[in-house]
Amino acid sequence: MDIIPRTIDAERTAKRGRRSRKQRESAPKQKNLNDKNAKRYLIQLGNGNFGAGDLHVSCTYSNEYLPETVEQAEREVKNFLRRIEYRRNKSGLSALKYILVTEYKKDEAGKFIKRIHHHIIMNGGLSRDEVESIWSKQVKGQGRQSLGFVNADRIQPNKNGIEALCRYITKDPQGKKRWSSSRNLKRPVSRTNDFRYSLMRVKKMAADPAYGKLMLEKMYPKYEISKVESKYYELTGWHIYVKMWLRPAVRQE
C-alpha cells in the first residue's frame, strides 16, 4: 500500500467519507525490467498468483542452439511454454499461468556478452522432470535434443510470499531484462481512500514511525503490517510505503 499526499488543489476538493472502487493496476507499458515500477509490479503479480507447489524454471542454451537474437530466444521460449500448455491440457490440469523474464547483455556492436537465458515462474501440476524434458526441440535425423541446461525448482515461499524469488529474477547485474506474463493472472488492484489520510496525518506518520505502524494496525486489523517506510520528495512531500499481509486466520475464513 502507498500513502501519497494529494496536491493542495486536490486536498481542497477531496470528497470526505468516501473511498473509490477497486481498480485493476495497469501493467507498465515497457517490457524492460530495468525500470523500478516494472520490477515492483512484477513482484506484486508474482505474490498474487504463485506460491507453494508452483515452479521456478531456469532455462539456458548450449552453444549449438544459442539464439542469435533476443527475438529468436523469445520465440524459442514461447514454443516451450506452448508445449507445457499442451502437456497440461493432455494431463487434465488447469491452464498454464506464468511470468517470463528473459535476461541478456550486449556490447556496443550488438554481440551478446552475457549469455541469454530465461527465468519462468509457472503454476505446478507437472513433475519437475517432465517440465525439464520439454526444454528441447526436434532435430532432423537426431530426434529430440535438449536446448541446454534447465532446472525446475519447487517454490518455497516465506512470510513475504515469493518476493525474494521475484527480486532475484529482476535483479540488475548490468544487463537487460524483458518480461511478459500469461493473460490469466490476477492483476494487482488499487483503491483511493482520500478520507483516511490528510496531509497532517501523513506528516505525523512520517515523523513518528511507531505511531504510523500503530495507526495502520488499528485501521487494518485483518492485516499484519510488516514494513513501513517514509520518503520525502521536494515536489510532493512525504510518501509512505507500507507492506502488509492478510493474516492466515483471515485467509481461511
Side-chain angles (χ1 to χ4, degrees), residues 100-115:
L100 164 66
V101 175
T102 297
E103 183 176 352
Y104 63 96
K105 184 178 181 181
K106 291 182 176 182
D107 61 16
E108 294 182 356
K111 292 184 178 180
F112 288 111
I113 55 176
K114 179 176 182 178
R115 206 174 190 86

Side-chain angles (χ1 to χ4, degrees), residues 13-243:
T13 59
K15 294 182 179 179
R16 298 291 175 180
R18 296 185 182 181
R19 65 177 181 172
S20 67
R21 293 182 178 180
K22 287 183 179 179
Q23 297 182 6
R24 199 166 94 168
E25 290 280 338
S26 297
K29 297 296 182 183
Q30 67 280 358
K31 293 287 187 181
N32 195 338
L33 269 177
N34 295 70
D35 179 83
K36 180 180 178 181
N37 289 331
K39 290 181 180 180
R40 185 179 180 199
Y41 182 88
L42 187 145
I43 290 170
Q44 293 174 332
L45 199 63
N47 264 336
N49 290 276
F50 302 99
D54 295 326
L55 297 174
H56 167 222
V57 185
S58 301
C59 302
T60 68
Y61 296 91
S62 63
N63 291 335
E64 187 176 4
Y65 300 114
L66 188 64
E68 296 181 358
T69 65
V70 176
E71 290 72 23
Q72 183 182 344
E74 292 193 333
R75 285 195 298 272
E76 200 71 75
V77 75
K78 288 297 178 65
N79 285 335
F80 168 68
L81 291 171
R82 278 193 284 270
R83 293 194 294 272
I84 293 287
E85 179 69 75
Y86 172 80
R87 192 71 62 89
R88 292 183 67 88
N89 290 339
K90 191 174 181 181
S91 301
L93 297 171
S94 59
L96 172 66
K97 297 195 299 182
Y98 69 85
I99 294 174
L100 164 66
V101 175
T102 297
E103 183 176 352
Y104 63 96
K105 184 178 181 181
K106 291 182 176 182
D107 61 16
E108 294 182 356
K111 292 184 178 180
F112 288 111
I113 55 176
K114 179 176 182 178
R115 206 174 190 86
I116 193 165
H117 61 281
H118 311 281
H119 293 281
I120 307 163
I121 298 174
M122 66 172 67
N123 50 337
L126 296 177
S127 71
R128 294 165 58 188
D129 288 343
E130 190 169 11
V131 169
E132 290 173 356
S133 71
I134 298 173
W135 183 243
S136 59
K137 67 189 303 180
Q138 189 70 31
V139 179
K140 188 175 181 180
Q142 300 180 50
R144 293 209 70 83
Q145 298 294 311
S146 172
L147 291 169
F149 175 78
V150 56
N151 184 62
D153 283 328
R154 295 284 181 196
I155 291 176
Q156 298 181 21
N158 57 24
K159 66 177 183 178
N160 292 320
I162 66 166
E163 180 177 348
L165 170 60
C166 292
R167 289 193 181 280
Y168 168 71
I169 68 174
T170 60
K171 70 184 187 301
D172 183 17
Q174 303 302 314
K176 289 189 176 182
K177 295 173 184 290
R178 290 167 59 136
W179 74 283
S180 61
S181 63
S182 57
R183 295 182 179 181
N184 57 349
L185 299 185
K186 296 177 183 177
R187 305 290 162 175
V189 297
S190 63
R191 170 182 279 166
T192 302
N193 286 339
D194 281 339
F195 69 98
R196 286 194 167 190
Y197 305 104
S198 66
L199 288 174
M200 290 303 296
R201 175 170 280 185
V202 171
K203 288 180 181 179
K204 188 174 180 180
M205 291 173 67
D208 187 350
Y211 161 79
K213 188 173 187 296
L214 181 62
M215 189 194 73
L216 289 165
E217 287 173 342
K218 290 180 178 179
M219 294 172 68
Y220 302 98
K222 292 184 178 181
Y223 291 83
E224 177 184 346
I225 310 300
S226 63
K227 191 173 186 181
V228 181
E229 290 184 339
S230 301
K231 188 170 183 179
Y232 184 79
Y233 297 90
E234 289 188 6
L235 293 178
T236 55
W238 285 103
H239 292 206
I240 298 176
Y241 303 96
V242 183
K243 184 184 294 183

